[in-house]
Structures are given as structure tokens and as C-alpha cells.
Amino acid sequence: MAAAALLLLLLLWPAVVVSAAGEGRRLHTLFSVECGDYFDWQAVGLLHSLRKAGQPGGVTRLLSCAPDQLASYRGLRIGHTLQVPSYSRHPRTGDWYPAINKPAGVVHWLEHSPEADNVDWVVILDADQIVRGPIIPWELGAEKGKPVAAYYGYLKGCDNILAQLHTAHPEFCDKVGGILIMHIDDLRALAPLWLSKTEEVRQDKSHWSTNITGDIYGMGWISEMYGYSFGAAEVGLRHKINDDIMIYPGYTPRIGTEPLILHYGLPFKVGNWSFSKLEHHEDDIVYDCNRLFPPPPFPREVEVMESDPNVKRALYLSIECIHTLNEGLLLHHTSVGCPKPQWSKYLSFLKSKRFSELTKPKYWNSLKVENKLTVQHVALSKSRHPKIHTLFSTECSSYFDWQTVGLMHSFRISGQPGNITRLLSCTDEDLKNYKGRDLAPTHYVPSMNRHPLTGDWYPAINKPAAVLHWINHVQTDAEFIVILDADMIMRGPITPWEYGAKLGHPVSTPYDYLIGCDNILAKIHTRNPSACEKVGGVIIMHIDDLRRFAMLWLHKSEEVRADKDHYATNITGDIYASGWISEMYGYSFAAAELNLRHIIRSDILIYPGYVPMPGANYKVFHYGLRFGVGDWSFDKADWRNADIVNTCWAKFPEPPDPSAITKGDQNARERDLLSIECGKALNKALYLHHKRRNCPRLSTTIGSISKKMEEVLTSNKSERVTQRSSTTTIGRNVEHMDVTRQQAVERATDTVSGVHRSKRLARSSKMWIFAVWATSVVVFLLVISMFFSERRRSISRSRASRSQKAHSLTIKQTV
């Protein structure tokens, strides 16, 4: 009897195990869309990526459609769909706000779908996402009462009066969104409040402003996001905030992370290719057989675009997003009976083993979760540094291109946290022929070189104009913005926590020559002249301050620029007395107007050629002025018209070897070593740029020299040259090159650069002498040729005459 019972238990054991394993782990995925082509192609991409990723459980598309839309709507068969009433036009208030369909659709699903009664966990996504691997709640650390979500740092309303007005528990407000992973019981408690809080925030128009909500449009467009956060706070949900599970294509992932979701809500680019979902708002690509989105670069093309492994990985994520979207469209077209597409290289790639390998499902490493998840935002803000974004302003010209190459290379090796954006001011005409689109992540802005209203030519105003344009057109989750100039080389990270930047207190460097802060200029152009501070160069500012400040910075720059009566050097400190530093005063006067009080640090920036302060660990070289060591010197203005970036292997004259610096005066030695470091950093950046561009190999001799230079330049790549002692180390490394080799390098440099003025003049003189000599030879040969030609013709005529006379004589004799 006991044996029979044991046998029965063994037979039933697998079923018991399976039941226990499945208990409490039924999973369902939801996403919300509207009736229209725009959401249809997004739905096709998301559904395909979920199948490709192996997402367990069912998937439901919540389709919000007005009755008059359904008759002509073509997409009812796209995925498993639940039709829900459209809230785009609110049935009670008449407000047009389509984003509210998301919480309204979830509420409808909970109330009317039998699926909701057979689910334990729910994953809620947005339509404009590509999933790269299965999203498993228990692997990501979700618990009942503790949902998992991505971090949305720009929801500043959690920290101010908005949360105090709209939730009884503002201290529980978490800045989250993008992906929501929660227990079904938590969703049942949250969903009605999510909808009602969204309606509540949407109607609170008096608090729509950007400085309260973080909405760059100030139009209440992110009310639904606040509805979720305030509803969750009201219910008492405490999120586990995961900042690595989702990434926007174009952003660089943190080292060692593998995001599961690509959220293509913002424009992004790879090289000269770019994608913005808003450009396809009316695109019926789902119903246009075999048409795909313009293909991004192939992986092998990306491989040579970027040397930094992490930046390269960001480019791979960007192309993976659109390749996967296109693959989904291709399979969808086949499923609806479209004819077989014609063969192309791109279609062959999408069906290749290489693409399959690149896009195979990514699995979240649950061992990382404990290290990366934070139970609530309050704890998160204490345990992690705020996000940073770096900006610099340039124009469409070769002059700014080589500066961009230098700054970008130094940024990559400096250890600077966060991403960087080049603000590129270009006219439409200039942009057509511009070759430097791939030099940096770029935000394009209209050129203000020629002021559109006054006609004044003042390119420096592009800086505040570009920052304002970026603030108004780009959604960022960065809490601090670092603003640099293009003519800078970074030597180390510039962070708000190191220098003490905070809301109302930006960090900057001293610009003592701005004497207008102390005289009539400040009294004319700001109501708070006592708060005017002589600062510039490097700026670290809280995003909230920058949003208030950017417009005023531009206006004050225009105002000072127009005040020609006070251009004099004794008023402005401008040595040219031409109003050229009006933008700098625009910054100082705008900051004074808003009573921003700067933390002024003299140890962040140094001009090469200046004597450093004892013990200072400078983070930035600003090579805006001429500097030199011995007979060598560098002035950026000498290279204004040189196309160094697009001329293979072109670079600047090499600075002296550090070992040649005299050791007598310690201050002078430290000054010269920093100057040499700056010059070498620019040349190293250019060398690596030309190498990435696959410039052709030079001659055997120069090639061997270049190889040696590469060994010197690329040695210890991870080392950050942030201290003067590092410069001395580099000097010792270079000393290993003997004098003969060094002279050969200098000769190769002269041959390769071919841009410096004196060399151009010397070559021009030689070419002129050669041209005169060649012309003289040609003329001489022509004269000789003409002489002998005439001689031959004369002889021929003489012979012909004698022949004719002889012939006549013969005839006479015959007669």
C-alpha cells in the first residue's frame, strides 16, 4: 500500500511542480494606440519585436477609435485588439488630449476584458518602442506594492507645488514612466486614479508652465504622466526605479548595461542618416506593399564611424531599432499577401545570419537587479548623482569642424558623465554642402549670424540662440547642463557635485575683463547691477535655471549688441571696442536679472600660455588666445580657412618635445608643459579622426613614422591627462624617440599638413619659379619649332621650283 502511494506521488509530482511554478506568474502585455496610420506602423514594429524577443503571455493592443473613424480604418487586424472608447475629445469637457486614451484604455480593459481576470502581472508599454528581450516582472525585481518603471527625471512637478496640489502624499511621488511592470491588484487600485488624476492635472492650466511641469511646450501635454505618478502616490505604490532597462536611440548606454527597450520617441541619427517618428505622422507604410523606412547604415559601416566602444554600442542600438522595425514591416507585408519583394542588398541583410545574431533576444541578468534597482525615488536621489548633459555651439565651417574633432575626442577620454550635443547653427544653403554632419551628436538650429530683424552680423549670438532652441525643442532628463565652447579641450570630468552647483547657484569661471559689471553698462542693462558677475567659459547650470535663463540670455545679448554708444574699451573691456563680447555681457546681465549667484572657480579652466595656480587640477584648456613654447606657437585664428578635417592626415605643427623644456623656472616649465599638452591633444584627435575616415596610407617612410606616432599617441588610451604630473609622464614617453626620428617626424608633419601660412608662401614661390621656367622652355621650343618648320618649307619650295624648271626643259628638248 505504501509502495502504491509512493508510486502515485511520483507520477503526480511533475504536475504539482508545473502548477506551483505557474501559480502567480501569469503575464500579460498591454499597449495603447489610436486609429490611424501613424500608430499602425508603430504597432507592427512593437508586436514584431515582442514575438522576436520571446515575450511570454498574451499581448493586447488597446485601440481607441471614435465611431466615425472605424468605418474607414484599415488596421483592425493588426495584432490581438480590444476596441476601447476614444477619449481624444473628452466626452465631458470637450478638451482635445489624445494621451488620456492610455489610462482610459487600461480602465476599460480591466472592466470589460476577460483577460484581466486570468492575469497576475501586467507589463504596459508605449507603441513607439522596440523590445529586445523578454520582460519578466520577477526577474526585474517587481513585487506586489512595488512596481518596476523607468526613470523620467524631467517630471519636476513631483518636487514642487504641482504634487502638493494633486496628491495627498507628494513625498511618495516618483518620476517614472516609459515602461510599467506591476501586479494586477496594484493596477486595479491605480487605474481609476490614473485616469482621474490625468483629468485633474490637464484641467489645471494655471500650472502648465515649463518651470513647474518640465513640459518644454508648457501645454499640459505630459498631464497623463503626472496622472500616473500622482495616482501611484495616492495608492501608496513605491516604485523600483530602473534607469537601465530602457534607452532612447541616440543616447549612450551605461557601461555594462544591456537595455531591453528602445524608445524611439526622440529624433536620432547615425552618420548622415537620421530618423524622427514625427516625420512619418501621415505615413501609410503599413499598407504600401514592400516599402520600408530608409535603411540605416550597415553594422560594418558603423564599425568604422567611432573608435570609442561605448559610443559605438550606442550607434549599434540606433540601427538595431530601425532594422527591427523594417523587418516587422517586411513580414507584415508578406502576411497580408503582398507580392514577393525584389532582391536588394538590404533585404538580404535583414534575412542574414549576421542580423539574426545581432538581434537575438537579450536576457536581463537578475544578479544585476539588486545593484541597479532603487526602491523609491527619495532613496534614488540620495544614492546616485544627477544626470548631466554637455552642450557646445558651432557653425557650419571647417574652422569649427577641427575644433569639434578636438573637443569630441577629449570628451570621450575625459570621463565626463552623460551625453554631449553639438548645437550646429547653419543656414539652409550652407547645410546643403556641409561635410561635417557626422563629427558629433548634433542638434541643428537656424543660423543667427545675420540677425533676422536688424541685419546685424554677429555670429557670437548663435550661442544663446542655439541653447534656447535646444531647450525648446529637445526633451531631456538631465538635471544639470554643462555648456562649453568649441575651442576647448577637456582634461577631466566637469561635474556639479565636485564644484557644488545647485538650483539658483550655477558654477562658472572668472572672466575678470568684463569690467562693464562695475560701471554704467550694468546699470543700463540690468535692474540688479550689484548681482552682475564676471564669469564665462565653462557653465554648469541646473536645468530649471537654464529654462528660465535662456530666453533672457538671448535678449540681453541683443540689447547690449545694439547699445553701440557703450562699445568703448574703457566701458566694456573689449580691446577691439566693437561689441564683440556682447554675448558674454548678455549672459552676466541675464543672470543678474534672475539673481543667479555663481560659484566662481578659478581651478576649472586655463588658457594655454598662462602660468597655472599651484596645485590646480584644471579640467579644461581654452585655446582662444595665441600661445607658444620657444619658437613654436599656435593661434586658432591662423587656421580659420584651413580644411584640416577633410584633408587626409592634415594636422598642426607639432609642439616641442617636453624633454626640451628648461627646468630653471618652475612656473614657466609648468606653463609650457600645459601648452604642449594642449597642442598634442589637438593633433592626436586629428590623427584618430583621419584614421577613422580610412585615409589612404602614406609613403613607406612616412607610413612607418605615422605608425610610431600612433604608438606614442595611442599609448595608455584610458589614462586621463588631468594633472600636470601626467604631462611629465608623457614627456618621458616621448623622450624614447631619438633625435633623428624626431626630425623625420617634423619633416613628415610639414609634408602632411601643407596648411600653415609660411609653408604655403614658400611652396607658392617655388611653384611660381617652376611655372616661369616651364613657360620659358615651352616658348623656346615653339620658336625653334617655327624656325625649322619655315626652313623646311623654304627648302621644299626651292626643290619644287628646280624640279619644275627641269621638267620644262625636258619638254622643250623633246619638241
Side-chain angles (χ1 to χ4, degrees):
M1 187 71 179
L6 180 60
L7 179 62
L8 181 62
L9 181 61
L10 289 173
L11 290 172
L12 292 176
W13 177 252
V16 172
V17 171
V18 170
S19 175
E23 184 179 358
R25 292 195 168 185
R26 297 169 298 175
L27 179 60
H28 203 87
T29 303
L30 303 174
F31 69 100
S32 174
V33 300
E34 301 161 37
C35 280
D37 297 338
Y38 180 56
F39 281 99
D40 286 353
W41 62 257
Q42 294 177 45
V44 165
L46 176 58
L47 289 167
H48 169 65
S49 71
L50 285 165
R51 288 190 292 269
K52 193 178 178 81
Q55 177 69 5
V59 180
T60 298
R61 179 179 67 142
L62 304 177
L63 179 65
S64 302
C65 253
D68 60 335
Q69 293 177 297
L70 276 173
S72 59
Y73 180 58
R74 298 180 283 178
L76 288 174
R77 295 184 180 180
I78 298 176
H80 173 64
T81 299
L82 175 67
Q83 294 181 39
V84 301
S86 174
Y87 263 61
S88 294
R89 179 75 64 190
H90 197 282
R92 188 178 67 256
T93 65
D95 178 40
W96 178 260
Y97 182 55
I100 202 172
N101 282 311
K102 186 174 180 179
V106 171
V107 169
H108 188 90
W109 179 78
L110 287 169
E111 294 177 351
H112 297 91
S113 175
E115 298 163 348
D117 298 326
N118 297 289
V119 170
D120 300 302
W121 293 93
V122 179
V123 175
I124 302 176
L125 302 173
D126 288 337
D128 58 344
Q129 294 177 339
I130 293 294
V131 177
R132 307 177 71 231
I135 303 166
I136 314 297
W138 43 94
E139 289 185 1
L140 289 162
E143 303 175 51
K144 191 172 182 180
K146 297 177 181 178
V148 168
Y151 181 55
Y152 271 14
Y154 56 84
L155 297 179
K156 64 173 70 176
C158 276
D159 302 326
N160 59 37
I161 191 173
L162 201 66
Q164 296 166 14
L165 288 172
H166 295 290
T167 174
H169 299 285
E171 70 278 9
F172 293 161
C173 184
D174 292 330
K175 302 174 182 177
V176 293
I179 174 174
L180 308 170
I181 308 169
M182 67 179 65
H183 195 276
I184 187 67
D185 293 345
D186 293 334
L187 186 59
R188 290 189 188 280
L190 166 69
L193 276 170
W194 183 3
L195 177 58
S196 64
K197 291 291 180 184
T198 299
E199 294 172 316
E200 188 180 306
V201 177
R202 179 68 184 170
Q203 292 171 28
D204 184 10
K205 296 185 179 181
S206 60
H207 294 96
W208 276 8
S209 62
T210 301
N211 64 320
I212 294 178
T213 63
D215 178 0
I216 60 174
Y217 304 107
M219 297 296 292
W221 195 249
I222 56 177
S223 299
E224 173 270 319
M225 299 180 189
Y226 279 114
Y228 175 86
S229 291
F230 294 159
E234 204 80 358
V235 175
L237 300 180
R238 311 307 303 276
H239 290 84
K240 294 186 175 183
I241 303 174
N242 190 315
D243 204 15
D244 294 322
I245 190 173
M246 184 185 84
I247 193 170
Y248 288 91
Y251 281 39
T252 301
R254 274 195 260 267
I255 295 174
T257 64
E258 193 66 81
L260 294 183
I261 297 169
L262 304 175
H263 192 177
Y264 55 92
L266 302 174
F268 59 100
K269 67 188 300 265
V270 177
N272 292 326
W273 173 92
S274 63
F275 182 86
S276 172
K277 69 172 188 175
L278 294 178
E279 293 177 358
H280 301 277
H281 203 277
E282 307 295 332
D283 198 335
D284 66 346
I285 194 168
V286 167
Y287 309 103
D288 190 354
C289 275
N290 298 323
R291 182 164 68 86
L292 306 178
F293 292 115
F298 291 107
R300 66 175 179 273
E301 295 172 315
V302 171
E303 185 67 29
V304 299
M305 286 182 182
E306 181 57 55
S307 60
D308 185 281
N310 212 40
V311 177
K312 186 184 295 184
R313 197 158 68 96
L315 298 180
Y316 275 124
L317 290 174
S318 294
I319 65 170
E320 178 186 333
C321 177
I322 303 303
H323 285 323
T324 304
L325 186 52
N326 274 339
E327 184 185 36
L329 286 169
L330 186 64
L331 294 174
H332 173 78
H333 289 154
T334 302
S335 71
V336 297
C338 286
K340 186 177 179 179
Q342 292 183 346
W343 182 91
S344 70
K345 186 178 178 182
Y346 183 56
L347 290 184
S348 178
F349 167 72
L350 291 181
K351 297 176 182 179
S352 68
K353 185 178 180 180
R354 167 73 167 153
F355 176 67
S356 178
E357 186 69 22
L358 285 173
T359 57
K360 64 183 181 182
K362 311 299 186 292
Y363 297 95
W364 189 260
N365 184 355
S366 58
L367 296 176
K368 295 179 182 178
V369 173
E370 293 181 6
N371 297 328
K372 294 187 178 295
L373 292 178
T374 309
V375 174
Q376 52 184 311
H377 176 58
V378 175
L380 177 71
S381 58
K382 292 179 181 177
S383 64
R384 62 183 288 275
H385 290 307
K387 283 191 174 182
I388 305 174
H389 198 99
T390 303
L391 303 175
F392 68 103
S393 173
T394 71
E395 300 165 33
C396 278
S397 70
S398 57
Y399 179 57
F400 280 100
D401 284 355
W402 62 256
Q403 296 177 42
T404 297
V405 167
L407 178 56
M408 286 302 302
H409 172 68
S410 68
F411 172 85
R412 294 183 190 109
I413 65 173
S414 68
Q416 177 72 357
N419 296 310
I420 188 168
T421 297
R422 172 179 62 163
L423 307 178
L424 184 62
S425 301
C426 256
T427 64
D428 293 338
E429 194 61 33
D430 287 339
L431 200 55
K432 291 177 184 177
N433 303 314
Y434 181 60
K435 299 177 183 178
R437 293 172 183 258
D438 61 342
L439 297 179
T442 300
H443 176 72
Y444 296 91
V445 300
S447 174
M448 287 273 286
N449 282 352
R450 179 77 62 191
H451 197 284
L453 298 179
T454 65
D456 177 39
W457 179 263
Y458 183 54
I461 205 170
N462 280 313
K463 184 176 180 179
V467 170
L468 178 63
H469 193 278
W470 183 82
I471 282 288
N472 287 334
H473 291 83
V474 174
Q475 198 167 6
T476 179
D477 59 356
E479 294 179 46
F480 283 90
I481 306 299
V482 176
I483 302 176
L484 303 176
D485 288 338
D487 57 345
M488 291 181 174
I489 295 292
M490 296 183 68
R491 307 178 72 235
I494 305 166
T495 60
W497 51 88
E498 180 176 355
Y499 297 110
K502 55 187 176 181
L503 187 65
H505 293 276
V507 168
S508 193
T509 55
Y511 270 16
D512 293 332
Y513 57 84
L514 297 179
I515 59 176
C517 275
D518 301 327
N519 60 38
I520 191 174
L521 201 65
K523 295 175 183 176
I524 292 174
H525 294 291
T526 174
R527 294 170 296 178
N528 194 12
S530 60
C532 183
E533 295 172 317
K534 304 171 185 176
V535 293
V538 174
I539 300 163
I540 311 172
M541 186 176 288
H542 194 281
I543 186 67
D544 292 350
D545 289 334
L546 190 59
R547 292 189 197 282
R548 294 188 301 136
F549 170 76
M551 177 68 79
L552 200 56
W553 182 8
L554 175 60
H555 286 171
K556 288 295 179 183
S557 297
E558 293 172 317
E559 186 181 306
V560 177
R561 177 69 180 171
D563 184 10
K564 296 184 179 181
D565 292 340
H566 296 93
Y567 273 7
T569 302
N570 65 325
I571 295 178
T572 63
D574 179 1
I575 59 173
Y576 303 107
S578 61
W580 196 250
I581 58 176
S582 300
E583 172 271 318
M584 300 180 189
Y585 279 114
Y587 177 91
S588 291
F589 294 159
E593 202 80 359
L594 297 177
N595 204 31
L596 298 179
R597 309 315 295 261
H598 289 82
I599 298 168
I600 304 175
R601 297 289 297 255
S602 301
D603 57 347
I604 300 176
L605 175 149
I606 188 171
Y607 285 89
Y610 281 36
V611 174
M613 295 189 306
N617 180 20
Y618 295 105
K619 300 299 179 68
V620 174
F621 286 132
H622 191 181
Y623 55 90
L625 304 174
R626 178 181 291 274
F627 63 98
V629 177
D631 294 333
W632 174 87
S633 67
F634 180 84
D635 188 338
K636 69 173 188 175
D638 290 344
W639 305 86
R640 184 172 292 277
N641 299 315
D643 192 5
I644 299 178
V645 167
N646 296 306
T647 303
C648 269
W649 305 117
K651 61 175 184 175
F652 304 113
E654 283 291 338
D657 192 294
S659 62
I661 304 303
T662 58
K663 300 177 174 61
D665 185 343
Q666 185 62 25
N667 286 337
R669 174 178 168 77
E670 296 291 341
R671 175 199 66 201
D672 291 348
L673 287 176
L674 290 174
S675 296
I676 291 171
E677 181 187 331
C678 182
K680 285 186 173 294
L682 280 170
N683 273 343
K684 179 178 179 180
L686 288 167
Y687 176 79
L688 295 175
H689 165 77
H690 294 312
K691 187 178 177 183
R692 281 196 300 271
R693 288 279 180 94
N694 290 323
C695 280
R697 292 176 62 85
L698 302 173
S699 67
T700 306
T701 306
I702 298 177
S704 63
I705 296 169
S706 297
K707 184 176 180 182
K708 181 64 179 177
M709 289 171 64
E710 178 182 357
E711 292 172 0
V712 175
L713 290 171
T714 58
S715 63
N716 201 12
K717 180 180 179 182
S718 61
E719 179 184 1
R720 295 168 191 153
V721 188
T722 56
Q723 298 180 4
R724 292 189 301 280
S725 59
S726 303
T727 307
T728 307
T729 304
I730 292 176
R732 295 195 201 101
N733 291 338
V734 178
E735 284 175 0
H736 292 300
M737 296 180 65
D738 56 43
V739 175
T740 304
R741 177 61 57 85
Q742 181 63 24
Q743 290 172 348
V745 171
E746 290 172 359
R747 287 197 299 273
T749 300
D750 292 346
T751 303
V752 173
S753 292
V755 195
H756 198 269
R757 285 188 199 163
S758 59
K759 296 187 181 83
R760 282 205 309 268
L761 290 172
R763 275 198 303 275
S764 297
S765 300
K766 292 176 182 177
M767 291 298 294
W768 174 248
I769 293 170
F770 176 81
V772 170
W773 176 82
T775 303
S776 301
V777 171
V778 170
V779 170
F780 175 78
L781 291 174
L782 283 172
V783 170
I784 294 298
S785 175
M786 290 171 62
F787 174 81
F788 281 107
S789 296
E790 184 61 30
R791 178 95 178 191
R792 280 196 299 271
R793 282 196 296 271
S794 177
I795 292 170
S796 297
R797 285 196 298 271
S798 176
R799 287 176 179 172
S801 176
R802 286 198 300 270
S803 176
Q804 188 175 7
K805 288 178 181 178
H807 182 66
S808 300
L809 182 60
T810 302
I811 292 173
K812 288 179 181 179
Q813 289 174 351
T814 304
V815 174

